[in-house]
Amino acid sequence: MTAMETTKDFPDFPLIISVDDHTVEPADVWQSRLPKKYLDTGPRIVRAPLKEISFLGGRFRPVMGAPGDDGPLGDWWLYESLQRPLTRLDTAVGYSRDEIKLEVITYEQMRPGSYDVPQRLADMDVNHVQSSVCFPSFPRFCGQTFTEAADHELALLCVRAYNDWMVEEWCGPQAQGRLIPLTLIPLWDAELAAAEVRRNAARGVRAVAFSEIPPHLGLPSVHSDDWDPFLAACDETGTVIAMHIGSSSRMPSTSKDAPPAVGSTITFANCCFSMVDWLMSGKFERFPKLKIMYAEGQIGWIPYILERADVVWEENRGWGGVADKVHRPPSELFAEHIYGCFFDDAFGLKNLDAIGVANVLYETDYPHSDSTWPKSRQVGEAQMGHLDPEVVERIVRGNAIELLGLTPEGLWR
């Protein structure tokens, strides 16, 4: 955990609105919502031993054993031919750093706040967090699991079932407005995606998950017109496009045998590439109310990328292929449309003037291994000690309230 010397006291450090946390979906999310004919192929949980597991070169490879085989028991999601275990990396809070290993676990072996609403609120209270936006686990960060499925009729039902659970249960009455819904779209069809954005916007949803680099999923890039129906729906409804690191199913790495520590150090890289894509795409000029945010991407890298993008736009936009669609400096587009999210970035906070106070959001990453829980307040106090209280207020909660259309008190509704 990085820290810098505190120069101001924070007796009233603002209650945190975390724009990047995670939920581990309860076992019945899909089994209780899918038509009966899909229950044997739709997502379901079984308990089985682990045969082997690896995470090298940014690729996660678990192999499920047969009943009676030796090996640690874990809970596995089965969906069509997919076998995906719950792992300690899905929910690591409450364990010391040295205890967090790549291993399979059961629901009983995870902190209940990972999947239970009242327990999540209690853990938020411990961590000085008022409200929280949660990304998925089994569907992956933007619903890639359903995009890769063979049966897209079933996959669409799965996307809608997840969104119904997210809005009606995870963010339902028990949550007291403190859990902010983030929904999925059927990434394989932009028209269906637009319809799902509008369906959820009609019930108050203001954020949707998307891939940082869609071509890594075999999907069109943001430079094409293919996504325009989806982007138009987001522009029309004020729905924020939220992109989490790893939402292109390819974590940054350098080689097939690079240990996870390499990728973990450069997790921001896909956000960097993605942001340049968006800045040079012309989409912000075509959809002027569009807003995007990069969850867990940190912010310290942003100033140089904006500086370089402006130089390229100024000097090379003719042969660079963007003169006819990007009519303003990329840094201006960033200021109006893009938000960086961080949980531990002292360097970025020292360079806020080059990023923009209005373009920064705070997060805690509960319950992942990088999470600052239960000390997110202390980390914030240490790293923001040089900032004026009004700036801290904006970063910790004010910008999120404005972006996500929350109540003045910081609640969903």
Side-chain angles (χ1 to χ4, degrees), residues 370-388:
D370 273 338
S371 178
T372 52
W373 186 93
K375 297 182 178 180
S376 299
R377 172 179 181 166
Q378 291 90 323
V379 172
E381 288 176 332
Q383 295 190 347
M384 299 183 207
H386 64 297
L387 301 174
D388 291 333

Side-chain angles (χ1 to χ4, degrees), residues 299 303 342 347-357 360 386-387 391 395:
I299 59 175
F342 78 100
F347 179 82
L349 289 167
K350 292 177 185 176
N351 293 275
L352 272 180
D353 288 346
I355 301 169
V357 171
V360 175
H386 64 297
L387 301 174
V391 173
I395 292 171

Side-chain angles (χ1 to χ4, degrees), residues 31-43:
Q31 289 291 295
S32 64
R33 288 170 179 79
L34 291 176
K36 288 183 179 180
K37 68 176 181 177
Y38 289 120
L39 295 183
D40 290 337
T41 52

Side-chain angles (χ1 to χ4, degrees), residues 219 344 395 406:
L219 299 170
D344 185 7
I395 292 171
L406 305 179

Side-chain angles (χ1 to χ4, degrees), residues 278-298:
W278 282 89
L279 290 173
M280 299 300 186
S281 69
K283 298 303 182 185
F284 295 134
E285 303 201 32
R286 294 187 56 201
F287 303 101
K289 292 185 284 186
L290 205 60
K291 306 284 187 183
I292 68 175
M293 55 172 269
Y294 288 102
E296 210 173 321
Q298 313 304 332

Side-chain angles (χ1 to χ4, degrees), residues 16 22 25 69 91 95 104 148 151 166 176 212 215 233 266 273 293 316 323 338 354 361 376 398 412:
I16 297 165
H22 300 266
E25 299 80 17
D69 284 353
T91 171
Y95 288 79
V104 297
E148 295 166 358
D151 185 343
M166 168 62 61
Q176 305 167 35
E212 58 200 351
I266 56 174
F273 301 156
M293 55 172 269
N316 302 325
I338 301 177
L361 305 169
S376 299
W412 174 40

Side-chain angles (χ1 to χ4, degrees), residues 5-280:
E5 184 179 353
T6 301
T7 57
K8 289 187 177 72
D9 292 329
F10 282 106
D12 299 310
F13 190 80
L15 280 171
I16 297 165
I17 297 178
S18 174
V19 297
D20 170 32
D21 293 319
H22 300 266
T23 178
V24 176
E25 299 80 17
D28 69 343
V29 168
W30 290 277
Q31 289 291 295
S32 64
R33 288 170 179 79
L34 291 176
K36 288 183 179 180
K37 68 176 181 177
Y38 289 120
L39 295 183
D40 290 337
T41 52
R44 59 208 182 278
I45 285 285
V46 300
R47 187 158 293 182
L50 172 71
K51 187 174 181 180
E52 59 183 81
I53 190 170
S54 65
F55 185 28
L56 290 174
R59 295 287 183 179
F60 175 48
R61 295 183 177 87
V63 179
M64 188 173 80
D69 284 353
D70 291 335
L73 285 177
D75 285 334
W76 295 69
W77 283 106
L78 304 186
Y79 170 47
E80 293 189 336
S81 61
L82 177 66
Q83 300 174 344
R84 195 278 197 195
L86 301 180
T87 75
R88 178 56 61 209
L89 300 187
D90 291 321
T91 171
V93 292
Y95 288 79
S96 73
R97 300 292 182 184
D98 291 339
E99 291 178 310
I100 301 170
K101 301 175 182 178
L102 186 58
E103 59 182 353
V104 297
I105 60 171
T106 65
Y107 279 96
E108 291 80 7
Q109 292 171 307
M110 68 175 72
R111 193 170 183 87
S114 303
Y115 58 86
D116 179 82
V117 171
Q119 293 292 329
R120 172 60 64 94
L121 298 186
D123 280 353
M124 290 163 61
D125 290 339
V126 168
N127 201 31
H128 199 65
V129 173
Q130 178 191 33
S131 304
S132 168
V133 176
C134 293
F135 283 81
S137 292
F138 169 70
R140 311 217 297 281
F141 295 144
C142 67
Q144 305 101 295
T145 297
F146 302 127
T147 302
E148 295 166 358
D151 185 343
H152 275 170
E153 180 180 352
L154 169 57
L156 180 59
L157 293 174
C158 287
V159 167
R160 290 174 175 165
Y162 177 86
N163 291 340
D164 291 344
W165 169 79
M166 168 62 61
V167 174
E168 298 166 8
E169 293 197 36
W170 185 252
C171 301
Q174 280 194 105
Q176 305 167 35
R178 298 178 61 188
L179 297 176
I180 304 162
L182 172 73
T183 52
L184 302 177
I185 54 169
L187 289 162
W188 60 91
D189 188 311
E191 294 286 355
L192 289 175
E196 191 62 13
V197 167
R198 292 188 175 97
R199 182 176 84 94
N200 291 306
R203 47 185 178 174
V205 176
R206 287 287 300 273
V208 64
F210 190 65
S211 174
E212 58 200 351
I213 307 178
H216 285 348
L217 303 178
L219 299 170
S221 79
V222 297
H223 299 288
S224 73
D225 295 333
D226 297 76
W227 294 108
D228 285 3
F230 164 66
L231 300 182
C234 293
D235 183 75
E236 167 197 319
T237 61
T239 300
V240 179
I241 297 175
M243 292 171 282
H244 195 284
I245 59 166
S247 56
S248 54
S249 294
R250 190 182 302 178
M251 291 298 289
S253 192
T254 55
S255 63
K256 291 183 178 180
D257 59 349
V262 172
S264 185
T265 303
I266 56 174
T267 51
F268 70 92
N270 283 349
C271 298
C272 173
F273 301 156
S274 175
M275 190 176 84
V276 176
D277 258 349
W278 282 89
L279 290 173
M280 299 300 186

